[in-house]
Amino acid sequence: MKPYQKIPILECGEPLAPIPLEHFAAQTPHAYEKLHAPYGKLSPYYLRETVLENLIQAQNQLQLTHPNWRILIFDAYRPVAVQQFMVDYTFAELVSDRQLNLDQLSQTQIEELWQQVYQFWAAPSLEPATPPPHSTGAAIDVTLVDENGNLVNMGSEIDEISPVSFPDYFANSNEFPETEYHAHRQLLFQVMRRANFQQHPNEWWHFSYRDQMWAWLSQQQQPNQRFTAQYGRI
Ligand SMILES: C[C@@H](N)C(=O)N[C@H](C)C(=O)O
Ligand SMILES: [Zn+2]
């Protein structure tokens, strides 16, 4: 169990709302639908109502300093079946990218690979007290596009299983273009933070509002206040 999963959830009952994609940027087809992840009739482009309001606020904030730039919605609502699919897919990709043969790996080596997967992906738990963040409709994976619709370079791809995904990976570099990657990550962080999101400590693209991770991070920043999560699995 990860420490944030100990945070109690007091479900507020707010419904999911469709993200108005015409106001944002999005890739079609969606990255995980392209892999045939099992969405059934559900769509990744949904968020809890207040989370969506905050996301609109974040984009307004962005456009104050960067007119016509947009937030690109990479992923939002993610049913647990999709979480399971993506965790299994990521493990298989790790094995194949590293040209490993699963049959020749020791139990310890296999466990090390799973640890790397779970450093970035939440476990696909169906237990109501420990929902994967995106299954609550309160977590979102985002990046930026510029006024020409081009992806802003953050120095790594979303979902990369590597330390380069850590938000501050380029923070101590004085070389171009690493300084620019860091500035872009900081811009994304600042507009999301001003709209009350918290950022996943290991992922520059993952933000959430009032889920367990948000409450856990907020608790660390304001130890004198008591935070709970208001969004559970939906
Ligand atoms: C890996 C990334 N797409 C992601 O969403 N990670 C978080 C922690 C999750 O799986 O909920
Ligand atoms: Zn995420």
Side-chain angles (χ1 to χ4, degrees), residues 98-132:
R98 295 180 191 179
Q99 298 177 330
L100 300 170
N101 183 340
L102 211 45
D103 297 333
Q104 289 169 359
L105 296 180
S106 68
Q107 205 48 43
T108 311
Q109 287 171 312
I110 292 175
E111 273 163 27
E112 275 167 13
L113 285 175
W114 277 113
Q115 266 175 26
Q116 288 176 46
V117 172
Y118 285 129
Q119 191 179 14
F120 294 95
W121 290 87
S125 165
L126 280 165
E127 165 61 44
T130 56

Side-chain angles (χ1 to χ4, degrees), residues 2 4 32 74-75 78 83 87 119-123 132-135 139 141 158-159 161 200 203 205-206 213:
K2 295 193 176 166
Y4 70 84
Y32 306 156
F74 180 85
D75 193 33
R78 188 187 304 153
Q83 186 79 17
V87 160
Q119 191 179 14
F120 294 95
W121 290 87
H134 286 264
S135 74
D141 296 336
I158 291 179
D159 285 354
I161 305 293
H200 191 297
E203 302 173 10
W205 60 83
H206 178 107
M213 192 176 297

Side-chain angles (χ1 to χ4, degrees), residues 183-226:
H184 290 156
R185 290 180 181 199
Q186 282 291 103
L187 174 62
L188 179 64
F189 170 75
Q190 275 157 12
V191 299
M192 295 298 282
R193 192 71 195 96
R194 282 195 195 123
N196 294 316
F197 288 95
Q198 291 280 12
Q199 185 182 44
H200 191 297
N202 291 347
E203 302 173 10
W204 59 258
W205 60 83
H206 178 107
F207 296 85
S208 64
Y209 178 69
R210 295 216 166 187
D211 66 346
Q212 285 177 305
M213 192 176 297
W214 178 92
W216 181 70
L217 292 165
S218 300
Q219 187 74 67
Q220 287 175 328
Q221 290 158 9
Q222 297 170 67
N224 296 331
Q225 245 182 279
R226 182 71 34 223

Side-chain angles (χ1 to χ4, degrees), residues 3 14-15 27-28 30 41 46 101 119 123 137-138 151 154 166 168 184 214 233:
E14 192 178 290
Q27 291 165 330
T28 42
H30 176 276
K41 291 200 168 82
Y46 274 74
N101 183 340
Q119 191 179 14
L151 271 177
M154 300 285 179
F166 299 165
D168 282 339
H184 290 156
W214 178 92
R233 171 160 60 87

